[in-house]
């Protein structure tokens, strides 16, 4: 990331993602990284592509600040937009990977990703954690986030109704 980079565009993007779920239709925009984020350097893009930007998170796991599996941490702006029932998500230790990352990343809106995190909290078990870790490894080996776009037959940023 660029030191001291302007995060206005990112904050507007987050607001648009969050508000897209609050129209009562429950057909919000997919929650994805901001494409072409001007704060990300060329080296940063390569690190993200190879998931090397996640390595510092492993130090946080070793220190005990994070878990290997659990809800991904949100920035304060996102937390301030939680509905009251969504605040329960904060009860779990944040993790490097979670149910959202392996079950619906390409299609999930902001509210849906929180629902998956709450489902993880409600269903937690060591077996579930092991399944999530295995699925995460497989997804990374198969191409990471690009797999979601290919398997859902959608391009990143393309909006289509979710099939249930």
């Amino acid at each position: 990331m660029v030191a001291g980079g302007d995060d206005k565009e990112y904050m507007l993007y987050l607001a648009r993602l969050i508000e897209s779920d609050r129209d009562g239709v429950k057909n919000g925009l997919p929650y994805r990284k901001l494409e072409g984020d001007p704060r990300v350097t060329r080296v940063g893009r390569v690190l993200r592509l190879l998931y090397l930007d996640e390595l510092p998170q492993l130090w946080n796991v070793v220190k005990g600040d994070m878990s290997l599996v659990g809800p991904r941490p949100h920035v304060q702006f996102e937390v301030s937009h939680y509905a009251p029932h969504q605040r329960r998500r904060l009860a779990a230790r944040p993790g490097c990977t979670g149910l959202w990352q392996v079950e619906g990343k390409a299609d999930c809106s902001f509210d849906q990703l929180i629902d998956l995190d709450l489902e993880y909290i409600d269903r937690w078990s060591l077996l579930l954690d092991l399944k999530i870790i295995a699925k995460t490894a497989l997804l990374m080996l198969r191409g990471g986030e690009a797999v979601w776009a290919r398997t859902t037959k959608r391009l990143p940023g393309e909006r289509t109704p979710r099939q249930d």
Side-chain angles (χ1 to χ4, degrees), residues 74-133:
H74 277 167
V75 297
Q76 183 57 48
F77 180 81
E78 293 166 302
V79 173
S80 66
H81 283 84
Y82 284 0
H85 75 280
Q86 294 173 328
R87 292 197 173 276
R88 192 165 58 89
R89 182 183 188 272
L90 301 172
R93 186 176 303 235
C96 294
T97 188
L99 195 57
W100 166 64
Q101 285 84 353
V102 300
E103 293 294 330
K105 191 168 188 170
D107 296 324
C108 288
S109 66
F110 181 75
D111 284 350
Q112 291 166 332
L113 89 84
I114 293 176
D115 289 345
L116 280 170
D117 287 341
L118 294 175
E119 180 182 336
Y120 168 77
I121 291 167
D122 293 341
R123 292 181 38 213
W124 182 86
S125 71
L126 182 58
L127 183 60
L128 179 59
D129 278 2
L130 293 173
K131 285 180 182 178
I132 291 171
I133 291 168

Side-chain angles (χ1 to χ4, degrees), residues 124-156:
W124 182 86
S125 71
L126 182 58
L127 183 60
L128 179 59
D129 278 2
L130 293 173
K131 285 180 182 178
I132 291 171
I133 291 168
K135 284 183 176 185
T136 300
L138 284 172
L139 281 170
M140 289 174 64
L141 291 172
R142 292 174 54 202
E145 291 179 29
V147 169
W148 290 115
R150 288 194 306 271
T151 58
T152 60
K153 312 266 188 299
R154 292 173 42 199
L155 299 172

